Amino acid sequence: SELLMEKLRESQKFESELRMKLQVSEMKCMDLERDLQTTKDLVAKSDAAHKDAFKSWNKALAESKVHEEELNKLRETSAQMLYELEVKNDRYVGEIERLKADRLALQADIAKADESQDRIKALV
């Protein structure tokens, strides 16, 4: 009986630890989802700004070919910035997916702990 009570306490402690890990994981997931939304907003603003910049540059280019080299540099910079934002976005998406998988694994562990705890309580 004492051994079962100790197992029950260990199980409850393990469950508590898993719940804490789950809460931390969920907070990280929410933070990353916020960061992902911020990144998406920045990408949208960047796209709009780049489109406006391209319109202005195209107008200037139509009036004069003097700015052709600068336009090409702007396009390269824009493409590089967009690439970097997409890489960051992919990283956030991957991290969110990993955290969701971790959360599911923790939930499964909690369910197992609950089952174990219920069996121990049934034996006590």
Side-chain angles (χ1 to χ4, degrees):
S1 177
E2 182 62 36
L3 179 61
L4 289 175
M5 289 303 292
E6 185 173 329
K7 290 288 186 188
L8 178 61
R9 283 190 295 275
E10 287 175 14
S11 174
Q12 289 170 336
K13 180 182 175 189
F14 180 67
E15 177 186 5
S16 176
E17 290 170 1
L18 288 176
R19 288 187 191 280
M20 292 288 284
K21 287 179 182 180
L22 177 61
Q23 286 178 335
V24 169
S25 176
E26 288 174 340
M27 287 188 296
K28 285 181 182 178
C29 189
M30 289 182 345
D31 288 345
L32 287 172
E33 286 173 341
R34 259 194 315 275
D35 290 346
L36 175 60
Q37 187 57 51
T38 299
T39 301
K40 285 180 180 179
D41 294 345
L42 288 173
V43 168
K45 287 178 185 177
S46 176
D47 282 346
H50 291 139
K51 285 177 185 175
D52 289 345
F54 286 146
K55 285 180 186 176
S56 297
W57 276 109
N58 285 331
K59 182 180 176 184
L61 190 58
E63 295 171 2
S64 170
K65 291 288 185 177
V66 174
H67 299 291
E68 189 170 350
E69 184 177 322
E70 293 170 336
L71 177 60
N72 288 333
K73 287 179 184 177
L74 177 62
R75 285 181 175 148
E76 288 173 16
T77 302
S78 174
Q80 180 62 33
M81 288 173 66
L82 186 57
Y83 171 76
E84 290 170 7
L85 287 171
E86 288 172 347
V87 166
K88 188 175 184 181
N89 185 48
D90 289 345
R91 192 171 62 240
Y92 283 136
V93 168
E95 183 66 12
I96 287 170
E97 292 303 318
R98 187 190 63 73
L99 286 170
K100 285 180 180 178
D102 288 350
R103 181 176 58 201
L104 289 175
L106 286 171
Q107 287 171 338
D109 287 345
I110 288 171
K112 287 178 188 175
D114 286 343
E115 267 184 38
S116 177
Q117 194 174 5
D118 289 343
R119 285 189 303 235
I120 291 170
K121 285 179 181 176
L123 293 173
V124 172

